[in-house]
Amino acid sequence: MGLKKTKSITHGGKRVSEILEAHALFFAGKDGGARADLSGANLSGADLSSVNLSGAILRGSNLEGSDLRKAKLTAADLSGSNLRKADLRNCDLTEASLSGANLEEAQASGIEFFRCDLSNANFQRALLRNANFRLADVHGAKFSGADMGVAILRETDLNGADLSGVDLSTTLMPRNYPSGKTAPGKAESKSA
């Protein structure tokens, strides 16, 4: 079964393709534009590759199995969204909120997670090679079983993140992080 086109998906009585067109106008500062609000939308299996959803609201949306390759989601709100098995390769999520989002088994290599809110997100068994997590909030995030080869965790506070079973031998880690090829488990909070 192929991916669904945005013209065939509706949300709030409108075609998603129309919502995306209005968002493009909004993002460009043109008349007739409106910020995309796809909160709670069922976008599972949708073809959203190369779409600009910067600043869009996608809280609690279902994006399971969707194609978001090369999409722009800077400062987008994806909190509580289901991105399980989504293809996010080379997507820009700079300063996006993915708090509580499910990215289990997602293909997320080459992503900019720079300054993202990833608190309590689920990255279990996700493909996160070459992803940049600099200055991201990963408190409570679960990375167990994820492939984080050559990922950048420098300048990231890993306290409270679950990195159990993750091979970190090629990951760029924060200074003073305990060395070793595999993460020791859940990062402990610093005591006062």
Side-chain angles (χ1 to χ4, degrees), residues 23-52:
H23 185 74
L25 292 172
F26 168 80
F27 191 74
K30 295 183 179 177
D31 290 337
R35 180 188 307 268
D37 187 346
L38 293 162
S39 298
N42 183 2
L43 301 168
S44 62
D47 182 1
L48 297 166
S49 58
S50 300
V51 169
N52 186 351

Side-chain angles (χ1 to χ4, degrees), residues 83-167:
L83 292 145
R84 186 174 183 273
K85 294 188 176 182
D87 191 343
L88 296 151
R89 288 176 291 178
N90 300 309
C91 186
D92 187 355
L93 285 154
T94 300
E95 296 184 340
S97 175
L98 288 110
S99 177
N102 181 14
L103 291 104
E104 185 176 358
E105 298 179 28
Q107 293 184 42
S109 291
I111 289 191
E112 277 295 328
F113 285 117
F114 182 64
R115 292 198 304 229
C116 278
D117 180 358
L118 303 172
S119 58
N120 300 304
N122 179 8
F123 288 98
Q124 292 175 309
R125 296 179 307 284
L127 184 59
L128 299 166
R129 296 186 72 76
N130 300 307
N132 180 3
F133 290 91
R134 281 185 54 239
L135 300 174
D137 178 0
V138 296
H139 186 80
K142 297 175 187 163
F143 293 96
S144 59
D147 181 349
M148 297 184 79
V150 201
I152 300 170
L153 292 171
R154 181 75 37 98
E155 299 177 57
T156 304
D157 183 356
L158 297 174
N159 286 321
D162 181 359
L163 292 161
S164 56
V166 177
D167 180 355

